[in-house]
Amino acid sequence: MLLKVENLKVEFYTYRGVVHALNGVNFHLDKGEILGLAGETGSGKSVTSLAIQKLLPPNAKIISGKILFDGIDLVELNEDEMRKIRGKRIATIFQDPHTYLNPVFRIEKQFIDVLLAHDPDIKKVELKKEREKLARAKAIEMLKMVSMPAPERILKMFPHELSGGMKQRVLLALAFSLNPDLIIADEATTALDVTIQSQILDIMEKLRRGKNVSILFITHDLGLIAENCQRIAIMYGGRVVEFGDVKKVLTNPLHPYTQGLINALLRIDKDIKPVSIPGTVPDLVNLPLGCPFYSRCAYALDECNKSFPEPVIVDGVRVNCHLFARK
Ligand code: SF4
């Protein structure tokens, strides 16, 4: 197991009050696995990603829980210790490739700066010129790995000269250049058109197989998770409410919220009209005492409004729902 998130709780302090963004998140990720983290906007996916990297904004705090990465509890690490892990062992690819490349530097400089600062083989070379030469050669190798045409020419360009798909490939190449153990892809393909999206996903899968990297794939798109992930974690109200093998969860969803997400999909294989989930996500400032899905759930029981359900394992899938706790 590479990553284990245990009972993670995060709060944001705002003018409206305390936002209970994560309320006991539990999941794990094995080496070389792609885990899909899904849920509506506001369910806690991106906060989970930021908490893992200890990149929460100043008005947010991890209240309790553990983030065990290769046996190290990241929650306990200070900023200097985290800086050695971020980028080097945990790399992130964000949704908007336009924002995460520095617009005033050529692609070459952005690679060289990262590799000179973090690549141990390059760092130990004495002469600066030699170090830069090695970094440039590695940048070309990484760009070739993400199937970038004419990598030497790309290195000389500024980000604004590249298309969205090309920028996302550069970010992928940067993310993989330090041989990380874990890549967090936070809606990394959402802003791309479907053709480029498919190419980027193929590259990620190729790199995962070649380098045995684990990927936490955060998306609201269940179709992408079905095609690319081995397991899935469904988030709602700052908790993982269903977690297990992707085929089992998507073909036989247990939690009413997972069922709602699947029923809301447009299906071309079946003559079924999509049905949206009624209501909206809960107000995280005034979270209900019981199940946060209570007000939207067609199967709600009396106890659902009183207590949050304990996890139950059904055919290898973990689910938090009173319907199963009863059986
Ligand atoms: Fe619905 Fe109750 Fe299950 Fe929540 S615990 S999803 S309200 S049945």
Side-chain angles (χ1 to χ4, degrees), residues 200-254:
I200 296 288
L201 289 167
D202 285 349
I203 292 164
M204 274 168 62
E205 174 58 14
K206 193 175 89 185
L207 293 171
R208 178 188 73 87
R209 280 172 193 259
K211 294 180 176 275
N212 200 31
V213 176
S214 308
I215 300 177
L216 181 60
F217 190 69
I218 299 175
T219 180
H220 60 274
D221 189 333
L222 293 183
L224 285 182
I225 290 183
E227 282 174 26
N228 297 287
C229 300
Q230 284 84 51
R231 279 188 299 162
I232 184 168
I234 303 283
M235 288 198 76
Y236 190 78
R239 291 180 175 103
V240 173
V241 293
E242 187 160 0
F243 176 67
D245 176 84
V246 74
K247 279 202 187 102
K248 282 186 188 171
V249 172
L250 295 183
T251 52
N252 182 28
L254 301 173

Side-chain angles (χ1 to χ4, degrees), residues 46 48-55 82 85-97 100 168 170-176 178 180-188 204 213-216 218:
S46 290
T48 303
S49 146
L50 292 173
I52 292 169
Q53 302 164 78
K54 303 273 292 283
L55 285 177
M82 266 318 287
I85 288 182
R86 248 185 253 127
K88 173 93 192 76
R89 298 200 63 199
I90 302 178
T92 309
I93 312 164
F94 293 98
Q95 175 173 356
D96 184 2
Y100 290 95
Q168 199 61 301
V170 168
L171 286 175
L172 254 181
L174 267 168
F176 275 92
L178 297 173
D181 301 289
L182 170 66
I183 297 234
I184 300 176
D186 190 353
E187 300 278 7
M204 274 168 62
V213 176
S214 308
I215 300 177
L216 181 60
I218 299 175

